Amino acid sequence: MDESGEPAIVPGDPAASYLMGQIEPVDGAAEMPKNPPPLASAEIETIRRWIAAGAHDDSPAAPLAFSRDNPPVYTRLPAITSVDATSAGNLLAVAGFHEVILLEASTGAPVGRLVGMSERIESVRFSPDGTRLAAAGGEPGRSGEIQIWNVASQELEVSKSFTYDTLRGVSWSPDGSLVAFGGTDNVVRAIDAVSGEQKVFQGAHEDWVLGTAFIADGTHIVSVARDMTCKLTETATERFIDNITSITPGALRGGLSAVVPLPGRDEILVGGADGSAKVYRVFRATPRKIGDDANLLRTLPGMPGRIFAVDISDDTKVLAAVSTIDGVSELCLWKAREQAEVPDDIMAILKKEAGQRSDEEKKQLTTFTNPAEEELARVPLPVAVYAACFLPSNEVAVGGADGMVRVFDQAGTEIRSFPVGSGAGCGGRRGGDLRPSGLAAAIGRKRGCGRARGRGASAGSGCSDRRVARGERRSQWSLRLRPAAGGGPHGRWLAGRCHASGEVCRQRQPRRKSARACCGRWPMGRGA
């Protein structure tokens, strides 16, 4: 009913509908819309036919409001973008669609479903004592959210929104008081794990922050990003301290996506787009020189594709990384060297600028950072893998696009596997009753691990990896290049469109870099 008392729409009778008189132009002008030009004749005719047909509301149904009592129902197993284990090793947390799925680590039996508002879960991490769980995610292209759950009660204790895209790379401080994470606004943040109050804001990165980790005493946060740098931030003052990696153009060959601290050491393990995991010293021992990468302690043998996750075993003796390219992956395991002082002759070389080093000195550096083969296992996997974590038993669990969790021993032998969707609403079935009764016992009594986890960023970006619960396949996404805004020579837009939903997403790519989709997922930026 309009303000004159006449019905705006009379179903089945366009002539009696006040709306038609408002939108039909007279002498080239119409009452609606208020600002010219009026609707095209074809648009007016569409409205007329709609009213004549009964004016039925054919707008899409509102999105489902998922909850513990109305969890997502999967049409096939969900892609796994993040996985983590409790310090006791009894539980695994796996990222799903609108939820984090809790499983028994030994059998894969479902234990709980932490269903929240965020459509996409990018990263999950248990607190050091295993009683709480942090999840970073959000609505791609719309909002980001940090969730902190009580594992025993399965209650959401903290929910905070940041930025206009999904958050990623979540990690806990060793004492469990802070939760750090990165975002697509190039900012590292940390919040109070109880109140949700922001405690750290650092915007030194120049591209998406994909991973974070606290060092052993919690005084600093290490972050990795698509800008090909690993940066150090002081927690108490929020100050940017240093670039841990080299910032010299060409020294690094791609964005960094995963980081984990080596417990009890002034060292971190990082991995990214160049497929080479590296161990770095956190605090600089030599003055920065042009072209140096003086904090580099070890370069591990290369892997095919992009490294999505790295980790170190609880006994600190084994390093792990998973990489993916063209839908296939590798899991690599290496011996972790004991922390040792850098020899004096190597330190003297590091103090020189790169251009002043002799060929013999360069050879010495290469020998130091690339030690003799210490590879324990290299396992090919027939599916794109995006997540990995060690269990306290020193087994390593990996997950990827097929929704399966595979567990390997340190020799690279698969010892068990199980589907994430089993009992969690897969195959069109409603999920089982996963109430918190008995869950406290499953958490285990082991407490005070003190291990700051920050193993890696989730794979892909925003819109291109919608969960299978929405019925979209990665193969439904197409990519194309467009000139940069203004037609300049400095870059181009990489655009993707979902053939099922028509959704479009864009990101800026340097012109000198080729645009390449890794494993059918959205490219992760520079160096892709």
Side-chain angles (χ1 to χ4, degrees), residues 114-170:
L114 310 181
V115 183
M117 292 301 295
S118 287
E119 170 187 311
R120 175 168 181 137
I121 303 298
E122 299 278 5
S123 178
V124 296
R125 290 293 175 267
F126 283 105
S127 61
D129 63 5
T131 62
R132 307 176 80 198
L133 182 134
E139 304 287 316
R142 288 163 285 174
S143 65
E145 182 191 20
I146 286 292
Q147 303 169 356
I148 300 179
W149 296 83
N150 182 300
V151 177
S153 67
Q154 296 188 34
E155 295 296 330
L156 182 62
E157 296 182 338
V158 176
S159 173
K160 288 291 182 178
S161 295
F162 300 90
T163 79
Y164 297 98
D165 205 342
T166 53
L167 305 174
R168 54 201 71 215
V170 70

Side-chain angles (χ1 to χ4, degrees), residues 213-215 217-222 232-235 241 282-283:
F214 285 85
I215 66 170
D217 61 5
T219 58
H220 293 78
I221 300 172
V222 176
L232 185 66
T233 300
E234 190 173 48
T235 307
I241 301 301
V282 173
F283 296 100

Side-chain angles (χ1 to χ4, degrees), residues 403-423:
M404 294 289 294
V405 174
R406 295 173 172 85
V407 182
F408 297 85
D409 62 20
Q410 293 186 10
T413 302
E414 183 176 328
I415 54 179
R416 62 183 179 276
S417 64
F418 40 81
V420 168
S422 178

Side-chain angles (χ1 to χ4, degrees), residues 104-430:
E104 288 185 0
S106 59
T107 65
V111 176
R113 303 180 71 177
L114 310 181
V115 183
M117 292 301 295
S118 287
E119 170 187 311
R120 175 168 181 137
I121 303 298
E122 299 278 5
S123 178
V124 296
R125 290 293 175 267
F126 283 105
S127 61
D129 63 5
T131 62
R132 307 176 80 198
L133 182 134
E139 304 287 316
R142 288 163 285 174
S143 65
E145 182 191 20
I146 286 292
Q147 303 169 356
I148 300 179
W149 296 83
N150 182 300
V151 177
S153 67
Q154 296 188 34
E155 295 296 330
L156 182 62
E157 296 182 338
V158 176
S159 173
K160 288 291 182 178
S161 295
F162 300 90
T163 79
Y164 297 98
D165 205 342
T166 53
L167 305 174
R168 54 201 71 215
V170 70
S171 63
W172 288 83
S173 62
D175 62 1
S177 64
L178 296 176
V179 171
F181 52 91
T184 60
D185 60 348
N186 311 342
V187 173
V188 178
R189 292 177 174 86
I191 62 172
D192 185 280
V194 176
S195 68
E197 179 184 357
Q198 183 170 283
K199 296 295 186 180
V200 175
F201 180 100
Q202 176 50 249
H205 281 288
E206 297 180 357
D207 210 327
W208 294 9
V209 179
L210 300 179
T212 66
F214 285 85
I215 66 170
D217 61 5
T219 58
H220 293 78
I221 300 172
V222 176
S223 55
V224 294
R226 299 197 314 182
D227 61 4
M228 299 185 279
T229 67
C230 178
K231 296 183 184 292
L232 185 66
T233 300
E234 190 173 48
T235 307
T237 64
E238 306 178 65
R239 289 190 307 122
F240 166 64
I241 301 301
D242 193 14
N243 285 291
I244 297 174
T245 53
S246 173
I247 59 173
T248 302
L252 297 176
R253 295 177 293 163
L256 298 176
S257 54
V259 58
V260 63
L262 305 190
R265 309 184 190 185
D266 173 25
E267 297 175 5
I268 55 172
L269 174 65
V270 303
D274 66 353
S276 180
K278 299 178 178 71
V279 177
Y280 278 91
R281 180 193 301 109
V282 173
F283 296 100
R284 185 170 295 277
T286 61
R288 181 177 291 281
K289 299 292 184 181
I290 296 176
D292 78 355
D293 201 9
N295 287 338
L296 178 63
L297 296 176
R298 185 181 180 191
T299 300
L300 295 163
M303 302 175 67
R306 184 191 312 277
I307 292 177
F308 281 106
V310 295
D311 199 12
I312 184 170
S313 61
D314 284 19
D315 63 5
T316 71
K317 294 182 178 180
V318 180
L319 305 176
V322 290
S323 70
T324 293
I325 187 170
D326 298 331
V328 294
S329 305
E330 270 195 358
L331 164 67
C332 281
L333 302 173
W334 303 279
K335 292 180 182 178
R337 292 193 299 182
E338 296 292 333
Q339 184 175 21
E341 294 295 327
V342 178
D344 291 341
D345 58 338
I346 298 297
M347 189 67 72
I349 297 172
L350 292 174
K351 291 179 179 179
K352 297 182 179 181
E353 291 186 11
Q356 298 176 348
R357 297 167 186 166
S358 66
D359 291 341
E360 181 60 30
E361 289 173 332
K362 292 176 182 178
K363 184 177 179 180
Q364 285 181 262
L365 276 181
T366 300
T367 302
F368 173 73
T369 58
N370 296 267
E373 186 67 38
E374 295 176 325
E375 192 169 276
L376 298 175
R378 184 175 289 257
V379 185
L381 300 169
V383 63
V385 172
Y386 312 119
C389 75
F390 271 104
L391 306 179
S393 59
N394 292 326
E395 300 165 340
V396 60
V398 303
D402 64 349
M404 294 289 294
V405 174
R406 295 173 172 85
V407 182
F408 297 85
D409 62 20
Q410 293 186 10
T413 302
E414 183 176 328
I415 54 179
R416 62 183 179 276
S417 64
F418 40 81
V420 168
S422 178
C426 185
R429 302 185 304 273
R430 178 71 64 189

